Amino acid sequence: MADKNSDTTNTTATVEWTVTGMDCAACATKIKNAVGRLPGVTDVNVAIMSERLKLTLADGTTPSEKIEGAVRSLGYQIEPRKAGAKKDFVLPGAVPEDDHDEAEGHSHDDGHDHDHDDAGQDHSGHDHSEEDHAKHDHAGRDATPKTAKAYARDDSGHGSPGHVHDDPADRGKRWYQTGKGKLVIFTALLLGAAWIIEYLAPDIGKWAFVAACLIGVAPVAQRAFAALRMGQPFTIESLMTIAAIGALFINAAEEAALVVFLFAVGEVLEGVAAGKARDGIRALANLVPKTAQLVTGDTTREVPAATLSVGQTVLVRPGDRIPADGEITDGTSGVNESPVTGESVPKTRGPGDPVFAGAINTEAALRVKVTKGPEDNTIARIIRLVEEAEEARAPTERFIDRFSRWYMPAIVAIAALVVLVPPLAFGQPWDTWVYRGLALLLIGCPCALVISVPASIASAMSTGARRGLLMKGGAVIEAAAKVDVVTFDKTGTLTHGRPQVTDLVLFGATTEAELLAVAAGVEMGSSHPLAIAILNKAKDAGVTALPSQDAKALMGKGVVANVGGVPAWVASPRYAMEHGGLDGLGLRQATIFEEDGKTAVAVFREKTPLGLIAMRDEPRADAKDAVRQLTAMGVTSVILTGDNPRTAAAIAGSLGLRFEADMMPEDKLAYIREIGTKGGVMMIGDGINDAPALKQASVGVAMGSGTDVALETADAAILRDRVTDIPATIRLSRAAMANIRQNVTIALGLKAVFLVTSVFGLTGLWIAILADTGATVLVTLNALRLLRFNPEREG
């Protein structure tokens, strides 16, 4: 194999394909190993639930056709994802370039009366075939134009004859209409015909079963041989082929044919179970409608939703789903955001209010200005999180993968010993022990064990996403299940993050208008909750902010800016005291405010105090209940805040939790690092200043209303801004880990039982294949129970 890193001057590209037909983690392993052997290929990742193959490819090494051929030779369908888009993800349902003109050609007058049936307006039922994904996803932002072009083409090739993995065209069909289902029917007919022939002509009955076995096992053997050529001798297909052919040599043709049939049945069951596990994730993509009513002047025209760009305006009629993240410019209506946040009660939204793609307009027509492109809207970001989360594998999953690498060779070695030792050492009959050795081979596939973790993780992530609880992978779920301490930022997390000015204290000859004009000038352009409170107060008082420039944040202390050409500060009383912006009397007044649970800031110029502004931010209504739930779960809650101890104590006392006050960002970081040595720590924050602490914690959780920096840095996100979603996240994670433990017990338990019974001759070949398939199906079905789990229910 060529050295993938020998030519350091080679440019590389991150490329992606859609691969269909994967039933379990063993499928992903086969693809990963086969593709990873090719020259120039590195960083191979195969995601089962999102059906994605992602790798880094050096230019001028392995052509796309060879990669696709390697995957097809293993019996899977593969199509390249579209390249050259702006982000790592393009929402399914986009219309190909060639179709844009046709789609945009439908022009409607704004006032035209369209016959909309409200009951039919739920676009979530739209069926996106895998071909949609292949046409509209892409290789990734790192692809060079040359490479991107190579992978954007639509390869219509199909797998080799006899392959029984899922075909994208089979989606939505009944099991007997699918490729796998037809193979089951075919092998059943072969088996039935053999039994009839044996009944009518016993002399040739054996050969009828031999023929049924060979015909049925042929496609399986073909895939086993393809895997063998790629250096993978230990696959379920190879074990199945050896067992079936071996059974023929010991005159067990009838049982061999039955095993082939049961193997085909097992693959159908595995495919159905895997498809159901994917349905929750696929449903997210279907939340956004395929088309939108684009407003151009006084008319509207129907365009693909995937072609909308920032700044355009769309018309959303009652009953329709909103096609993009945006801001309402005209109209007031109830908006059902349950597809995104899980909140079932529609919220009244009007001009200036933000809305999510996928939310349902329930009452009146709205005009919405697009604020995020289709590749970056809320639904797309959720799907991207879920897809990328598959790459963040749980430690348990990584351990099981390592275990499975030696488990199957070990089983093959044990089977060989079972076949050889009794006849050679003790003179036992060869037929008996060959038969038992073959049964051991069928037990040896670790599919159930390997799928036990990803199936549970995918179900848990899907359940969380439906309720606005996003977790970035199995590693996050496993860490969240072990959390002992939850640390909260105060502003915008435990509180609404919308403080209001309650008091103004003036110093010297400063007037109220002057105080507000200077303070608003310093805070102009800031999105901090305290800054917004000051700006709103100035606006309500009819005061115009003084012009300012060169604003600079004093991390955890305040803000300084040149206001009217002279430096001015809005800072904490302690900082103001240290820099001549507050005297002893002013500090005492600030202390009184803080004892009342208010936050006080000092406004001053160089050595010249101007006044104090006091604000209060009320706790969220569910904050106290969230703390109670966490306590009942054995989790300690702590506030980490930059506020003074008196303000922090007032909030903490009302909620019943501990607090740490006067904390700079680096103090929060040090505190989390310290307590992290004693157990799992979850940090909840919403601001840029929380980003370091979110990263340091075992699990960092961003509130959905927080900044993009916090959302990107965090391991999880709470979209509904409900504090009770924190215990719900921990509850879901613990349920997922319990489910994983159950799955591992089922997988290993069944294997252990049937390994023993096979060695002692208590169970035969057909029971062995049933046990192997049954374990995989049981594990998957058990994981699917998490789709019905309600993390908000206590107990």
Side-chain angles (χ1 to χ4, degrees), residues 432-514:
T432 299
W433 291 99
V434 168
Y435 183 88
R436 293 179 184 181
L438 294 178
L440 269 183
L441 286 181
L442 295 180
I443 292 291
C445 178
C447 284
L449 181 62
V450 176
I451 198 66
S452 60
V453 178
S456 298
I457 295 297
S459 295
M461 288 193 300
S462 179
T463 296
R466 291 201 309 271
R467 291 172 170 81
L469 314 176
L470 303 183
M471 289 178 281
K472 299 180 182 178
V476 175
I477 290 176
E478 187 161 339
K482 299 176 181 176
V483 163
D484 300 315
V485 178
V486 172
T487 58
F488 292 93
D489 173 53
K490 180 178 74 70
T491 305
T493 303
L494 282 174
T495 63
H496 288 287
R498 295 188 295 272
Q500 294 181 331
V501 173
T502 57
D503 301 274
L504 297 175
V505 177
L506 308 175
F507 298 147
T510 305
T511 66
E512 183 175 306
E514 290 172 346

Side-chain angles (χ1 to χ4, degrees), residues 24 54 122 135 137 185 215 237 245 322 429-430 463 489 512 529 534 542 553 562 579 589 592 632 644 761 763 773:
C24 68
K54 181 180 179 181
D122 187 349
K135 288 182 180 178
D137 286 1
I185 294 172
I215 294 172
E237 288 84 2
I245 302 301
I322 297 170
W430 281 97
T463 296
D489 173 53
E512 183 175 306
I534 292 172
N562 284 326
H579 292 78
Q589 181 60 58
I592 293 171
N644 61 83
T763 52
T773 298

Side-chain angles (χ1 to χ4, degrees), residues 106 148 176 186 334 393 423 498 509 678 687 742:
H106 300 282
Y176 54 80
F186 178 62
R393 300 191 303 164
R498 295 188 295 272
K678 304 171 186 175
Q742 293 165 6

